[in-house]
Structures are given as C-alpha cells and as structure tokens.
Amino acid sequence: MAADDEFLRATLPALDLVHSLARRFVPQRADAEDLVQETYLRAWQAWTSGRLPHRVEPWLATICLNVGRDWVRRSRSRREEPAPEQGWEAADAADVEGEAIARMRRAQLDRALWALPTEQRVAITLMDLGGFTAAEVAGMTGSPRGTVLARVHRGRKALARLVQQEESRHAP
C-alpha cells in the first residue's frame, strides 16, 4: 500500500475530531479549516519522514493544538482579537422550529465556550468532545493530569454558570 493511501486510511477517521478541536481553538470557520489543513500537512510530513504514531487520534490532536497555539501567537502579534462567528446554516424544511431552537442552543453553548479561558476550552473539547482520558489530554497539552482534571472541572462549572446566566437574561 502506498504511503499516501496508508496515511489517509489511518488519519481520515480522526478528521471530525481535529475539526472539532480546531473550531474550539480558533473562532472563525475559515481559520479552523486552515488549522485543520495545516495539521494534516504537518502530520503528512511527519508520516512520510517515518515518524509514525502509536495512536493516531492523540497524535493529530497534539499537532492541532501546537498549530493552534502558533495561530494564537501570530494573531496576538498582529494585535487581532478575533470574534466568534455568528452564522446560520440552512435549516431542514421538515422541522424549522426545532432546527432554529437547536441552532440557538448551539450558538449559546459556543458563546459560553468562547468565554472560557483557552486552557479550559481546549481541555473540555478534548475530554468531552474528543473522548480522550485526562492522562491522554495531559500528554497532548504537556500539563499534569491533575491540572487537566481541574481545568475540565472548573470549565464545566463556569460553562454551566454562563449558560444559566444567559438563559436568565433572555427569560420572559
């Protein structure tokens, strides 16, 4: 099997994970797509140089985190403060009301996630959305396991508080 076929077979199942992590790391959809592309480019370069991972998902998540950190440093040096996207996707005609409510809840959760510190947002994304253990997240982020657990715990509490505050502001 050719190296490119082997690489794609091994890494494409993790594409959703990498994209989800990128969307939680950078606010603009186009930037997230660039981050995913850069992640796969760096992974391909490592793969073709013979640096094959034991497990693909944590390896790609670590690459994505490093690329994301680089992106944040570059954006800060340009003194840009990106804001989360406010976009609506096409609604399913079968249940427009349900889709609208679901989008509003996703947007509310997304705003609350972006209000968290980066470390908490990334830890929550990796553990809750990526399904990684605290030990795996610790390895990816270079933080102690206890620190990861604390970030997730504090982040979840803050997230719940932020969502509740927003709901109470919009309650009739």
Side-chain angles (χ1 to χ4, degrees):
M1 182 181 302
D4 54 344
D5 291 337
E6 193 175 322
F7 173 77
L8 291 174
R9 184 181 52 74
T11 61
L12 281 182
L15 182 60
D16 287 341
L17 167 71
V18 173
H19 190 266
S20 179
L21 182 57
R23 285 290 293 144
R24 300 299 182 270
F25 210 88
V26 296
Q28 300 296 327
R29 189 173 306 273
D31 292 334
E33 290 168 3
D34 289 346
L35 191 96
V36 170
Q37 185 174 5
E38 181 67 22
T39 297
Y40 271 81
L41 175 64
R42 289 188 188 184
W44 170 250
Q45 290 168 341
W47 188 281
T48 57
S49 69
R51 295 180 310 215
L52 304 179
H54 295 291
R55 290 192 51 223
V56 171
E57 292 85 1
W59 179 64
L60 286 172
T62 301
I63 294 170
C64 185
L65 286 171
N66 291 333
V67 171
R69 287 182 189 119
D70 291 345
W71 183 90
V72 169
R73 278 192 289 275
R74 283 192 309 269
S75 70
R76 283 185 184 150
S77 69
R78 291 188 306 255
R79 298 188 186 272
E80 293 177 8
E81 283 300 319
E85 280 185 9
Q86 302 294 324
W88 290 91
E89 290 129 14
D92 181 26
D95 186 12
V96 174
E97 182 180 352
E99 283 293 318
I101 291 170
R103 272 195 213 103
M104 288 173 53
R105 287 188 176 142
R106 280 192 301 270
Q108 180 184 32
L109 184 59
D110 197 45
R111 283 190 301 274
L113 270 170
W114 278 99
L116 297 176
T118 301
E119 294 83 10
Q120 289 177 359
R121 186 174 61 246
V122 169
I124 287 171
T125 299
L126 288 170
M127 284 188 67
D128 293 345
L129 301 177
F132 293 107
T133 66
E136 291 171 325
V137 174
M140 288 181 243
T141 61
S143 301
R145 181 180 174 276
T147 300
V148 170
L149 289 171
R151 287 175 180 165
V152 169
H153 176 72
R154 290 182 185 130
R156 287 175 182 159
K157 285 178 72 172
L159 196 58
R161 188 174 52 254
L162 289 166
V163 168
Q164 186 178 25
Q165 286 172 353
E166 187 170 332
E167 285 177 353
S168 66
R169 273 196 304 263
H170 298 311

